Amino acid sequence: MLKGKNILLGISGGIAAYKMADVASALTKLGADVHVVMTENATKLITPEVFRVLTKNKVYTDVFDEDPDDEVMVPHISLGTGADLILIAPATANVIGKLANGIADDMLTTTVLPARCPIYIAPSMNVYMLENPVVQENIEKLRKRGYHIIEPATGYLACGYEGKGKLPSPDLMVETVMLAVSHEKDMEGLKVLVNAGPTQESLDPVRIITNHSSGKMGYALARQAARRGADVTLVSGPVNLNVPLGVKVVNITSATDMYDAMTANASDADIMIMSAAVADYTPAVTAENKIKKSDGNLAIEMVRTKDILKTLGEAKKEGQFICGFSMETENMVENSRKKLVSKNADMICANNVKVPGTGFKVDTNIITLITADEVTELPLMSKEEVSDEILTKIISMRQ
Ligand code: CTP
């Protein structure tokens, strides 16, 4: 997903420098051409050799380092101007101070000066150092100049203090890079509303009726839409997933909550994608106290929930696009076509949960895109790849 992207990692002398090995490795695996520039102090905490092996590129630590393969022969200029994104992490108070004040007295600070790409800074230091007004002033200076500041995490710090100042997890830093450069921003200016996951219908204070939905498909859709520049709101049932970076989340529990949250956010959405597995029925009454067992069988009266997709489909405004999902175990295309019409959707993403590699819990899916004029069967793909196909189709249909 980062093929063709040139990412420059600037590593300064914070104890968390070791975490950058994971970041360098993950970005390289995602296809990026990763270059690493380290300050002298950083090399005392983790050897440059680690990054050379992980990235397959020479690691620079001195302005006078030369790379025989570098045609320009002025590495700080070619590295700085050639980068699509620079991530300085950990960024010490010293490096932040130098960058804020135009001091370029080592390879890292010199390389940043000619750069024209987005620059992300992850401050990482002792909580009191971070709180020092001079450090805060320098961070603000950088923010005002358009640098992106990655907020330090809070927790146990290597110096023994508790507080803010930790370098965020490698996953978060990789997500930050992905959000910035993995996709063209072809959905900029669009408001996207996605729902995901199961709903839970309460029988009594200890029991629920739910389904196997993991939320992975909807979360992947929300993540990819955000990476393409959309303003994304995700209405999520109870799932065990991290909220994608850059996505606003509204957590709900029941089908009624889902209905309320979706209708509240629908009016200004340009695109609505309904991948949630919403309960079609809910118990007629939720017992106030735990239902005690008796000798005989138990029948529970269930009543219909409101169909959210149908409601939003009927209220669809000019220019709004609605994409539903359809989960079938037989007659998939025929049944999904009926849903397309009856729910006034513009597209239905259908899948047959009985086919291996599709449906709940797994990271892959086989989807058939059904519109009024077309049926397009997609091959087995990761849920992120499927999401991109779905979003590309939606964009082409809106034009
Ligand atoms: N859906 C909804 N509200 C409901 C039930 C379903 O918005 N109360 C949406 C789902 O999010 C999905 C689409 O309707 O986008 C189709 O859901 P699916 O469960 O496949 O079909 P149903 O309409 O519930 O019909 P059936 O269960 O009979 O197949």
Side-chain angles (χ1 to χ4, degrees):
M1 274 194 259
L2 290 175
K3 228 179 159 77
K5 297 292 170 192
N6 187 322
I7 309 295
L8 180 73
L9 298 180
I11 304 175
S12 62
I15 191 70
Y18 73 93
K19 290 189 189 174
M20 297 309 289
D22 281 342
V23 176
S25 169
L27 294 175
T28 306
K29 280 186 199 151
L30 285 163
D33 187 15
V34 180
H35 294 270
V36 175
V37 175
M38 300 174 77
T39 63
E40 206 188 319
N41 281 345
T43 66
K44 293 179 185 157
L45 296 162
I46 179 166
T47 161
E49 189 61 9
V50 171
F51 296 103
R52 191 190 66 78
V53 172
L54 290 173
T55 64
K56 322 275 184 292
N57 282 320
K58 180 180 167 67
V59 175
Y60 288 85
T61 55
D62 189 278
V63 191
F64 296 100
D65 280 352
E66 278 182 14
D67 182 354
D69 298 334
D70 190 326
E71 286 170 11
V72 188
M73 296 300 280
V74 188
H76 66 277
I77 303 296
S78 53
L79 285 173
T81 55
D84 293 300
L85 180 143
I86 297 179
L87 168 62
I88 301 174
T92 58
N94 183 43
V95 159
I96 291 168
K98 285 192 209 173
L99 292 175
N101 292 286
I103 296 166
D105 65 348
D106 62 10
M107 181 60 183
L108 173 53
T109 47
T110 311
T111 303
V112 172
L113 279 187
R116 316 191 66 86
C117 62
I119 302 173
Y120 285 74
I121 307 266
S124 169
M125 64 198 77
N126 165 273
V127 55
Y128 298 128
M129 285 176 79
L130 184 67
E131 283 173 4
N132 190 309
V134 74
V135 174
Q136 286 301 316
E137 245 173 58
N138 285 334
I139 290 175
E140 274 324 298
K141 255 191 203 174
L142 290 177
R143 208 193 298 272
K144 281 196 190 120
R145 290 208 190 110
Y147 286 65
H148 304 270
I149 307 296
I150 302 177
E151 276 304 302
T154 299
Y156 179 78
L157 303 169
C159 54
Y161 284 86
E162 284 277 332
K164 193 169 172 179
K166 279 168 73 74
L167 189 67
S169 71
D171 282 352
L172 194 134
M173 284 185 280
V174 172
E175 277 264 326
T176 302
V177 173
M178 295 289 285
L179 182 62
V181 296
S182 69
H183 286 71
E184 267 188 46
K185 306 298 176 211
D186 57 355
M187 295 183 75
E188 199 131 52
L190 292 177
K191 277 187 187 283
V192 177
L193 178 62
V194 182
N195 70 7
T199 58
Q200 292 180 349
E201 310 305 310
S202 285
L203 271 174
D204 67 15
V206 294
R207 299 183 182 93
I208 52 168
I209 295 174
T210 186
N211 58 64
H212 292 297
S213 172
S214 63
K216 284 181 177 178
M217 190 66 238
Y219 273 60
L221 278 159
R223 177 177 291 114
Q224 299 308 88
R227 286 174 178 174
R228 292 168 80 146
D231 174 356
V232 185
T233 301
L234 172 64
V235 179
S236 174
V239 295
N240 209 357
L241 298 171
N242 291 329
V243 177
L245 199 63
V247 168
K248 292 184 276 293
V249 72
V250 180
N251 289 306
I252 58 91
T253 306
S254 67
T256 306
D257 299 340
M258 179 72 88
Y259 178 91
D260 291 344
M262 289 299 287
T263 48
N265 284 283
S267 70
D268 65 345
D270 299 296
I271 297 166
M272 289 176 255
I273 309 177
M274 275 164 266
S275 67
V278 185
D280 289 323
Y281 294 92
T282 190
V285 279
T286 302
E288 207 173 309
N289 295 307
K290 187 183 167 198
I291 301 168
K292 301 297 283 180
K293 66 174 171 292
S294 56
D295 288 342
N297 294 339
L298 172 72
I300 298 162
E301 192 192 348
M302 305 281 285
V303 293
R304 284 288 306 270
T305 56
K306 288 185 200 156
D307 190 318
I308 304 164
L309 174 53
K310 197 169 185 328
T311 307
L312 299 184
E314 281 163 0
K316 187 163 65 178
K317 291 195 270 190
E318 178 80 30
Q320 282 191 320
F321 189 101
I322 302 194
C323 171
F325 270 68
S326 170
M327 198 156 252
E328 299 289 345
T329 52
E330 54 189 352
N331 304 328
M332 183 187 78
V333 173
E334 194 189 320
N335 288 342
S336 303
R337 269 220 177 97
K338 282 186 195 150
K339 288 177 195 173
L340 181 80
V341 176
S342 68
K343 302 192 189 213
N344 197 27
D346 299 288
M347 183 163 83
I348 293 282
C349 304
N351 65 353
N352 182 340
V353 268
K354 282 192 170 167
V355 176
T358 72
F360 299 129
K361 306 273 190 293
V362 292
D363 291 321
T364 52
N365 214 347
I366 302 173
I367 289 277
T368 301
L369 303 180
I370 299 172
T371 64
D373 326 307
E374 269 181 299
V375 174
T376 315
E377 209 173 305
L378 301 176
L380 178 75
M381 287 188 233
S382 73
K383 285 184 175 168
E384 289 189 346
E385 287 166 330
V386 176
S387 300
D388 270 330
E389 293 286 338
I390 293 170
L391 296 172
T392 299
K393 180 75 184 170
I394 293 174
I395 294 167
S396 74
M397 285 181 71
R398 284 186 83 249
Q399 276 161 359

